[in-house]
């Protein structure tokens, strides 16, 4: 479980770390983030609000929701 694990890192280093994670086909990772670019690379996304699932789906499915990029707020 990575809970905002890279939010204090420079973008370049953050990308290197997530590239390593996403390159592992046998790895299951639960990533908590507000970074939309990281969300776009996920296999599946759950958006939580007040402890309940508000939206869920693949990045492609969720991108069809109006203001997808604002869901993180």
């Amino acid at each position: 479980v990575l809970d905002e694990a890279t939010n204090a890192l420079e973008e370049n280093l953050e990308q290197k770390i997530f590239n390593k994670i996403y390159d592992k086909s046998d790895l299951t990772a639960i990533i908590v983030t507000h970074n939309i670019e990281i969300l776009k690379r996920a296999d599946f996304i759950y958006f939580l609000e007040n402890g309940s699932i508000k939206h869920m789906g693949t990045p492609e499915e969720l991108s069809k929701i109006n203001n997808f990029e604002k869901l993180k707020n």
Side-chain angles (χ1 to χ4, degrees):
V1 176
L2 300 171
D3 186 355
E4 296 286 355
T6 61
N7 67 340
L9 299 178
E10 292 180 10
E11 185 176 341
N12 187 31
L13 181 55
E14 179 182 52
Q15 288 301 319
K16 286 180 182 180
I17 291 170
F18 278 103
N19 286 342
K20 293 286 187 188
I21 292 170
Y22 287 125
D23 287 345
K24 298 278 188 186
S25 62
D26 61 342
L27 177 71
T28 299
I30 299 172
I31 301 169
V32 179
T33 186
H34 291 88
N35 184 326
I36 196 74
E37 295 307 315
I38 293 171
L39 292 174
K40 287 178 179 178
R41 293 181 62 191
D43 294 325
F44 204 81
I45 300 169
Y46 292 92
F47 280 100
L48 302 177
E49 185 175 287
N50 297 322
S52 297
I53 297 172
K54 183 176 180 182
H55 300 283
M56 65 180 176
T58 65
E60 294 80 23
E61 292 168 340
L62 293 176
S63 69
K64 296 175 185 173
I65 296 173
N66 289 339
N67 298 318
F68 170 70
E69 304 229 353
K70 293 183 180 178
L71 287 176
K72 64 185 175 92
N73 295 330

